[in-house]
Amino acid sequence: MSYIQLKNVNKFYNKNTNAEVHALKNVNLEINKGEMVAIEGVSGSGKSTLLHILGCLDLKIDGQYYLNKECIDKKTHKQLAVIRNKRIGFVLQQFGLINENTVVQNVSIPLLLGDIGLKYIKHECLSVLKELNISELADRKVSQISGGQKQRVAIARALVNKPEIILADEPTGALDRKTSNGVMELLKKINKQGKTVIIVTHDKEVSKLCSKTLRIEDGHLVNY
Amino acid sequence: MIGRIIYIGLNKLKRDIWARIFICVQLVLIIYLFNLTIGMWRHETYILNMVNTMNLKNAYYCSNDFESFDSTNTVSIGEITQAFGKLKNQNKTTLKIKVYDEEITKNITLPLSKGIWFEEYNGKELPIILSNSYAKKYNLDINDTIELELQYSTEDINVQESFDVECKVIGTLNKANYHLTFSSMGNYLIWKNLFKQDESVALIGSSSISAEPLSGKMVFLKNLDDDSTVLLDKLGKLSSITSSQQITKNSKEVMSDKLKTQIIMWFLILALTLASLTSNNMLEKIYEEKEFAAYYMLGLDWSKCVLIEIFRGVIQILFSFVIAFILLKLLHGDSNYKTLIIDGYSYLLSIIMVFCVYMISSLWMIIELLRTNPIVLIRRNE
């Protein structure tokens, strides 16, 4: 069995109303551990919905979702929160950082929501910032750093809890080409360290760097 | 996890410290105003509640004094006389002494903060009940014996009589210091005309001290039968007579008029609270939604996000409450129980009110968090 598996997944919004939207249609998906996968699709095709499901953010679905042979779609909110915290790291196009906080405060959030002792948190954060060569930003406010630096901070936050999967939603969407290349190199490096990386993108250049590309069109997963 | 929630909540408070201080200023004013309004209302209703516990069903107030009346087995008449008293050989505040006769002490029991009412006392010394404030001021307690120099006017107003008595303190009035007294008043009688407050008052229960009689009497019917009706008719010819039921009815009418004005004030206070807190939350919406969405995405379930919001609210409310409490004590500590009543219940009520309104004002944001995907919230508020 694959590391990540979706079986006959359908996702509806406003089900049984006039505004019903069938966002994902009978999606079957298998991703192995350590793969770097791109999910391509135009706006409104359902790729973000798929990412929300894979990231355990929205599991009101018809069908089954298995993560490392474990059925995820029947878990409680509390159990899903633990999965998001321990096993998944998120990198977003808009970074999702708290601008008024410092870099180290932002990176520390996943640890703060876990069970690591408070006194070890700063040390863990600094070590991941060092690994990504941004330790000099530790005490700067997020509002004072550049877009590329923000994305590196977001990646540091995604990595700090040592998750198995990195989910990236258009990670280069808000960056120029040079900075994008830097971010993609970083994601590739993370993938080489054994982490499964799933990138939702509409950028062909990004897809080319991945070992597998899936395409989603009008809720259907194609060329799979 | 509770420790982490507190940690995150405190960090959120620290971050926007000035905004939080301004919210607290609003909350302080609201708690202050709420306590003041509730305190005034509670003071208004205090006498009525007090009278309700006295069971004065068959009591009547006669406004005019009358020389004599043939009491029978069906009716008893209570009188109050008045004097002034000073603690012998001590330069302390003069006490207004109200001497209640046996009929008054038998039929009316005033609420005490300490000690016993005259009816329960069977000692030999003359019993005295002091006002709460006077007892506190001069550190007098029950079972203390005091020597009083009593002074009163005789019927010839220019002649002052005085004599010394030794009294035993058997109780102290409650904080409000309400006591029964008669004074000239119109036909529209309310309980506030009969029960007055005084900080330097003392009650003596005795039928043997003939001090200056107050104009007015209380009539207590033992049974409501034909004989008593005839007697009431006779009394009605001698004096203007008002039943306790009528006085209660009048008091309720006066209070209902006041309540109408106060309800508007309460409504305004609530509207002010809700508007200020909601407007503040609306201004913060962008930051809050995004921040909670980030927390959710990174492993906090919504219930804990709500707990952080509640914790933050509780801290602000408690801090504001402490400031409002200090302000109320400083500005109205002396008026408490004189013109308003502010105590634990008022404080508790104001905290609950502000907390409920705070939560209602945060509710729409919580609902928004529950029904929207966090990534959508982050994208929307970036």
Side-chain angles (χ1 to χ4, degrees):
Chain A
M1 199 181 200
S2 304
Y3 186 60
I4 294 169
Q5 188 173 30
L6 293 184
K7 275 188 178 174
N8 302 320
V9 168
N10 284 279
K11 172 68 188 174
F12 295 89
Y13 292 110
N14 306 316
K15 201 173 180 182
N16 300 326
T17 67
N18 291 337
E20 182 180 292
V21 176
H22 195 169
L24 288 184
K25 295 165 185 165
N26 221 26
V27 169
N28 287 287
L29 167 73
E30 287 188 12
I31 296 170
N32 295 319
K33 194 166 185 177
E35 274 189 310
M36 184 160 174
V37 180
I39 299 173
E40 275 186 9
V42 294
S43 183
S45 58
K47 59 183 192 305
S48 290
T49 302
L50 182 59
L51 185 91
H52 297 165
I53 292 167
L54 291 173
C56 302
L57 293 167
D58 182 1
L59 282 178
K60 287 177 201 149
I61 53 169
D62 297 335
Q64 284 90 49
Y65 174 16
Y66 292 93
L67 179 61
N68 199 15
K69 298 174 193 162
E70 199 181 346
C71 185
I72 296 293
D73 51 277
K74 300 285 182 291
K75 299 269 183 196
T76 61
H77 286 293
K78 214 172 174 177
Q79 289 168 326
L80 289 174
V82 174
I83 291 172
R84 285 196 302 275
N85 181 250
K86 303 263 182 226
R87 299 171 72 176
I88 302 171
F90 290 89
V91 179
L92 308 179
Q93 180 183 1
Q94 293 82 6
F95 321 120
L97 299 169
I98 299 162
N99 289 329
E100 300 76 24
N101 280 3
T102 62
V103 164
V104 78
Q105 281 172 332
N106 269 282
V107 175
S108 69
I109 296 172
L111 296 173
L112 208 55
L113 304 179
D115 41 24
I116 184 170
L118 283 177
K119 59 182 172 180
Y120 302 113
I121 289 180
K122 193 163 183 184
H123 176 261
E124 289 290 319
C125 293
L126 291 176
S127 106
V128 76
L129 288 173
K130 197 175 170 189
E131 204 182 311
L132 298 184
N133 296 322
I134 47 170
S135 51
E136 74 282 1
L137 301 177
D139 295 321
R140 301 247 312 259
K141 282 201 173 181
V142 168
S143 54
Q144 296 165 347
I145 61 176
S146 71
Q149 287 172 325
K150 280 181 187 173
Q151 198 56 297
R152 281 177 178 267
V153 173
I155 292 170
R157 186 181 68 181
L159 290 174
V160 75
N161 235 358
K162 300 177 178 66
E164 302 144 13
I165 305 162
I166 299 293
L167 288 180
D169 184 7
E170 305 275 10
T172 58
L175 308 174
D176 59 56
R177 179 54 62 197
K178 193 181 162 202
T179 320
S180 295
N181 291 342
V183 167
M184 281 311 294
E185 268 173 34
L186 193 56
L187 288 172
K188 269 199 90 69
K189 190 177 154 196
I190 291 162
N191 173 244
K192 276 184 186 152
Q193 287 167 356
K195 298 202 189 293
T196 308
V197 178
I198 301 168
I199 304 171
V200 166
T201 184
H202 60 262
D203 185 343
K204 295 272 181 207
E205 295 299 316
V206 170
S207 304
K208 274 185 205 164
L209 294 168
C210 297
S211 55
K212 185 154 102 181
T213 301
L214 307 173
R215 185 160 180 81
I216 191 158
E217 281 173 13
D218 192 27
H220 293 281
L221 202 59
V222 290
N223 31 316
Y224 176 67
Chain B
M1 197 64 204
I2 291 294
R4 298 291 165 99
I5 286 170
I6 292 171
Y7 183 84
I8 294 169
L10 286 176
N11 273 338
K12 275 167 79 65
L13 276 174
K14 258 196 320 200
R15 203 177 53 217
D16 307 313
I17 193 75
W18 282 106
R20 301 287 146 209
I21 287 171
F22 282 116
I23 293 171
C24 287
V25 170
Q26 288 176 15
L27 292 177
V28 166
L29 289 175
I30 287 152
I31 294 170
Y32 174 83
L33 281 175
F34 188 80
N35 270 294
L36 219 57
T37 329
I38 289 281
M40 279 152 65
W41 176 247
R42 288 187 67 204
H43 186 258
E44 288 298 324
T45 55
Y46 187 84
I47 295 181
L48 210 60
N49 293 335
M50 188 178 86
V51 170
N52 275 342
T53 62
M54 288 181 186
N55 193 22
L56 296 174
K57 220 162 55 184
N58 293 328
Y60 293 80
Y61 173 73
C62 303
S63 61
N64 299 328
D65 199 10
F66 35 86
E67 279 301 304
S68 64
F69 186 81
D70 296 329
S71 293
T72 67
N73 286 337
T74 59
V75 68
S76 58
I77 297 172
E79 280 187 305
I80 301 175
T81 54
Q82 164 178 260
F84 294 95
K86 273 190 101 165
L87 291 177
K88 186 110 175 117
N89 302 326
Q90 289 182 52
N91 190 20
K92 288 181 178 167
T93 314
T94 304
L95 274 167
K96 289 174 192 159
I97 307 283
K98 308 286 173 184
V99 184
Y100 291 175
D101 72 4
E102 201 186 330
E103 296 306 329
I104 297 278
T105 57
K106 203 162 68 185
N107 288 289
I108 290 178
T109 307
L110 291 171
L112 304 176
S113 62
K114 241 191 216 179
I116 51 167
W117 187 243
F118 298 110
E119 280 300 289
E120 296 167 55
Y121 176 72
N122 49 22
K124 283 177 188 161
E125 291 160 295
L126 191 64
I128 190 166
I129 291 175
L130 297 171
S131 73
N132 194 289
S133 339
Y134 191 88
K136 264 192 185 160
K137 191 173 174 186
Y138 295 116
N139 206 17
L140 294 167
D141 208 346
I142 48 171
N143 293 328
D144 283 353
T145 301
I146 54 175
E147 203 178 353
L148 277 179
E149 188 185 334
L150 281 187
Q151 281 190 341
Y152 59 90
S153 310
T154 59
E155 282 179 24
D156 179 355
I157 204 155
N158 295 320
V159 180
Q160 293 274 317
E161 300 255 345
S162 82
F163 62 97
D164 297 343
V165 283
E166 208 175 64
C167 305
K168 183 165 189 179
V169 181
I170 62 161
T172 52
L173 291 172
N174 67 5
K175 279 183 184 171
N177 289 324
Y178 274 113
H179 59 278
L180 179 70
T181 187
F182 306 147
S183 55
S184 52
M185 53 199 95
N187 285 335
Y188 196 79
L189 194 60
I190 60 171
W191 286 118
K192 237 180 166 174
N193 300 132
L194 289 175
F195 289 97
K196 301 272 187 194
Q197 290 178 291
D198 209 317
E199 284 189 35
S200 304
V201 75
L203 315 175
I204 289 178
S206 167
S207 296
S208 55
I209 296 177
S210 308
E212 181 192 352
L214 292 177
S215 178
K217 290 183 196 300
M218 287 299 288
V219 175
F220 305 98
L221 294 187
K222 287 168 188 164
N223 299 299
L224 198 62
D225 53 19
D226 291 346
D227 286 353
S228 56
T229 317
V230 172
L231 278 166
L232 282 176
D233 283 345
K234 271 194 199 176
L235 275 171
K237 281 169 194 155
L238 295 168
S239 159
S240 160
I241 186 164
T242 317
S243 69
S244 57
Q245 285 94 334
Q246 185 60 47
I247 305 174
T248 302
K249 195 176 158 228
N250 295 347
S251 304
K252 281 182 179 167
E253 275 174 9
V254 170
M255 275 175 44
S256 124
D257 286 344
K258 283 190 179 169
L259 183 63
K260 279 175 199 160
T261 325
Q262 293 217 341
I263 279 178
I264 296 169
M265 214 164 143
W266 283 350
F267 177 78
L268 287 176
I269 290 174
L270 281 173
L272 180 72
T273 318
L274 199 59
S276 64
L277 292 178
T278 310
S279 60
N280 173 69
N281 278 343
M282 283 174 92
L283 290 171
E284 279 197 328
K285 173 182 170 285
I286 293 170
Y287 307 109
E288 292 300 317
E289 272 186 3
K290 185 186 150 193
E291 192 167 339
F292 278 125
Y295 282 132
Y296 181 83
M297 185 181 78
L298 299 172
L300 198 68
D301 65 281
W302 286 139
S303 63
K304 304 233 170 50
C305 292
V306 173
L307 274 182
I308 292 174
E309 185 63 17
I310 291 176
F311 172 76
R312 199 174 61 157
V314 166
I315 292 289
Q316 284 181 108
I317 291 168
L318 285 181
F319 178 75
S320 309
F321 172 76
V322 171
I323 304 289
F325 177 81
I326 294 169
L327 268 180
L328 284 162
K329 282 277 174 203
L330 286 177
L331 300 176
H332 302 282
D334 288 344
S335 316
N336 204 8
Y337 286 93
K338 285 183 218 162
T339 54
L340 44 87
I341 294 175
I342 302 175
D343 56 12
Y345 293 113
S346 328
Y347 292 128
L348 188 68
L349 200 65
S350 61
I351 283 198
I352 292 172
M353 188 278 289
V354 171
F355 183 74
C356 289
V357 174
Y358 189 95
M359 281 296 112
I360 291 168
S361 70
S362 309
L363 202 64
W364 60 269
M365 192 181 79
I366 291 166
I367 292 169
E368 189 70 3
L369 290 175
L370 294 174
R371 58 189 274 271
T372 316
N373 190 289
I375 292 182
V376 174
L377 284 176
I378 290 172
R379 205 175 287 158
R380 195 165 76 191
N381 294 312
E382 193 63 46

